[in-house]
Amino acid sequence: LEALKNNEIDYARVETNNTVLGADFQVRKEDEPRVVMLFFNFAAQKLNGKPNPLLQKSVREAVKLSIDNNNVIKVASVSGKKANQFITKSIVGYNSKIQDNIKDTTKAIGLLKDANATDLEFDIHTTADREEVARAISSELAASGIKTNVKIAETFGSLIKDLFAGKAATFLAGPAANDGGEYIDGVFRTDADSNLLSYSNSKVDAAIENINKSFVPKERKKLLEDLVA
């Protein structure tokens, strides 16, 4: 936005409602098949010098239960709607049977206690355009006793280097795709170049291979929905 105001560029895509630019600029709102999420980096085997508790499913569930997505949208003043999965309603693969996440701080605290992770603390890595979202998430997590620090990367490229090096345990990203299979193949397949979270699951890889081989719309849609669930 600053570059736009300074006439350094002619066009900018932003995810904020705070786009008061004056009469010399036009602002157009468009829906986009993009879900911005807090990703967990499976390459980060260590956190604060100890085994990373975020690699435990129950701890990740505690983080999820600590966040009210509607409140994040409100506090960060971003343009968007609450999502309950990484595929949006506008593309093939969306599973309508998945229920919305409801914040439950009490359950989150219990899960952290059972996992011996009551002292959980980690950095949320992001780029400057999503700083307010990261800070809103940080505030939500605090209610469950989860301490976080927001770290702003100079560029997305530098953030990617930290991810593959296992230096960033969590990060904000919003991959976009026009098809659920394209999204899942790029983000979750073990050897995908854009698998920034270093996720690896042989069952998921096999399911992705079946999806990529299916050209029957109804069959492919069912395979995607089953995998998302």
Side-chain angles (χ1 to χ4, degrees), residues 126-147:
T126 186
T127 44
D129 56 329
R130 295 191 176 123
E131 179 178 357
E132 294 306 313
V133 175
R135 297 199 181 282
I137 291 174
S138 181
S139 296
E140 290 287 300
L141 294 174
S144 296
I146 301 173
K147 299 178 181 178

Side-chain angles (χ1 to χ4, degrees), residues 15-35:
E15 297 173 0
T16 176
N17 288 320
N18 298 325
T19 52
V20 181
L21 296 168
D24 293 335
F25 298 91
Q26 292 181 340
V27 178
R28 184 174 66 187
K29 289 187 177 182
E30 294 182 346
D31 289 335
E32 187 178 34
R34 180 189 302 271
V35 179

Side-chain angles (χ1 to χ4, degrees), residues 177-196:
N178 295 308
D179 172 82
E182 175 191 355
Y183 184 105
I184 293 172
D185 183 82
V187 177
F188 296 104
R189 180 166 50 82
T190 298
D191 58 355
D193 292 337
S194 52
N195 181 359
L196 302 181

Side-chain angles (χ1 to χ4, degrees), residues 143-169:
S144 296
I146 301 173
K147 299 178 181 178
T148 54
N149 305 293
V150 176
K151 299 289 185 181
I152 307 301
E154 289 187 10
T155 65
F156 192 65
S158 63
L159 174 56
I160 289 175
K161 289 182 180 180
D162 287 342
L163 291 174
F164 285 136
K167 296 179 181 179

Side-chain angles (χ1 to χ4, degrees), residues 34-63:
R34 180 189 302 271
V35 179
V36 177
M37 295 178 290
L38 179 67
F39 282 94
F40 300 95
N41 183 12
F42 290 84
Q45 294 295 311
K46 296 287 185 179
L47 184 63
N48 303 322
K50 301 177 182 178
N52 184 1
L54 292 171
L55 298 182
Q56 299 180 53
K57 183 179 179 180
S58 61
V59 176
R60 298 196 299 274
E61 181 72 13
V63 171

Side-chain angles (χ1 to χ4, degrees), residues 62-73:
V63 171
K64 178 183 177 182
L65 290 169
S66 300
I67 301 171
D68 182 334
N69 291 325
N70 281 327
N71 201 40
V72 169
I73 292 170

